[in-house]
Amino acid sequence: MRESDRVTLIRREALAIDPVPASRVLLGSVLEVDTPDGPIGVKLVEVEAYRGGDDPASHCYRGKTARNAVMFGPAGHLYVYFVYGMHFCANVVTLHDGEPGAVLVRAGEVVTGIDLARRRRPNARNDSELAKGPARLCSVLGLTREQNGIDLTDPSSPVRLLAADPDEQVEVVSGPRVGVANAVDVPWRFWLAGSPAVSAYRRGAKRRPA
C-alpha cells in the first residue's frame, strides 16, 4: 500500500503562499515517489525558502529563464535543477501563478521503502544519512530533470506530497541558508529540532560587488 492511499495530499492552495510560511507547511510532510520496486517516501525535516526578485540568492532574482520557468508557478509543482555538474536538487513551488517562489527540500527521514533507500545509498553510514542533504535526498528518491514540473498535488502523479500529521508535536528551528553566496544571513532555513537527518550548517561566502 502506498503511504498516499491513507494520508491526505497537500492541497495546491496550501502552497500558494509566500515561501517562508510555506516552509513550515512542508516540514513533516512526506515526499513519495513510485518506483518499479515500490514506493519510497521521505519525511521532510529541513527546507529553505527562496523568493524571486527581492531575494538575491534565488534562481529567479534576475527574471524568468528556461531553467527556472517552473518556479513561476503554479504552486505545488516540483522544480528540479542540476548543480555542480553532478547533483540534482528539488524544490516545491509556492506563491501564485506568475509570481516566483519555491522551497528547497534539504533533508529528510526515509519512512517508506527503507530497503530500497539503502540499496540506492549503500555508502550511507546509517539510516539518518540516507537523505541528509538535498543531493542525497534526490538520489534516494531517484529525482532527476525528468520529474521537473511534475504536479505534486495530483493523486495520480508518480511523485506526490503528503500532508504532515496535524497531531504531531514538533519544534521548528530557523537559521541562515546553507552555502549561498548572497543574502547569507537571511534566516530562511527551517528544520525540525532533534532530527538526526538535518544537514550540517555551512555558511556561504559573501559575494563581492562587481
Side-chain angles (χ1 to χ4, degrees):
M1 177 185 289
R2 301 188 310 181
E3 187 74 10
S4 52
D5 290 335
R6 55 186 178 85
V7 179
T8 304
L9 268 70
I10 285 185
R11 297 177 294 107
R12 194 182 316 282
E13 309 90 80
L15 297 170
I17 57 176
D18 185 273
V20 174
S23 295
R24 293 179 177 268
V25 173
L26 289 171
L27 284 174
S29 67
V30 174
L31 192 57
E32 184 182 70
V33 181
D34 286 336
T35 81
D37 298 311
I40 181 169
V42 169
K43 175 183 175 181
L44 302 182
V45 300
E46 182 186 9
V47 297
E48 285 180 343
Y50 289 88
R51 287 193 184 133
D54 65 343
D55 182 3
S58 171
H59 286 183
C60 292
Y61 183 59
R62 300 187 184 280
K64 190 174 184 178
T65 66
R67 182 198 191 200
N68 66 26
V70 175
M71 272 187 75
F72 285 78
H77 287 251
L78 192 68
Y79 167 48
V80 183
Y81 63 89
F82 198 52
V83 65
Y84 302 133
M86 63 180 74
H87 301 305
F88 289 100
C89 293
N91 302 253
V92 177
V93 177
T94 66
L95 284 169
H96 302 287
D97 199 7
E99 188 177 2
V103 178
L104 172 68
V105 289
R106 281 205 56 86
E109 300 171 358
V110 178
V111 293
T112 307
I114 187 68
D115 290 336
L116 174 58
R118 289 166 180 161
R119 292 197 299 271
R120 287 182 167 181
R121 296 269 302 125
N123 294 326
R125 291 176 294 182
N126 52 61
D127 289 349
S128 67
E129 291 196 350
L130 289 169
K132 189 174 187 176
R136 293 175 179 176
L137 187 149
C138 280
S139 176
V140 83
L141 290 175
L143 297 177
T144 67
R145 281 200 187 100
E146 291 185 8
Q147 287 77 41
N148 184 48
I150 205 163
D151 188 353
L152 301 172
T153 67
D154 182 352
S156 64
S157 172
V159 187
R160 300 165 299 279
L161 191 58
L162 317 181
D165 182 353
D167 296 325
E168 184 179 4
Q169 299 296 313
V170 297
E171 179 186 355
V172 177
V173 187
S174 65
R177 294 174 290 191
V178 175
V180 294
N182 295 296
V184 297
D185 296 317
V186 175
W188 285 356
R189 180 170 67 105
F190 303 87
W191 65 94
L192 296 183
S195 172
V198 173
S199 60
Y201 175 65
R202 176 175 57 83
R203 178 181 169 83
K206 290 185 178 180
R207 183 172 293 172
R208 296 180 179 179

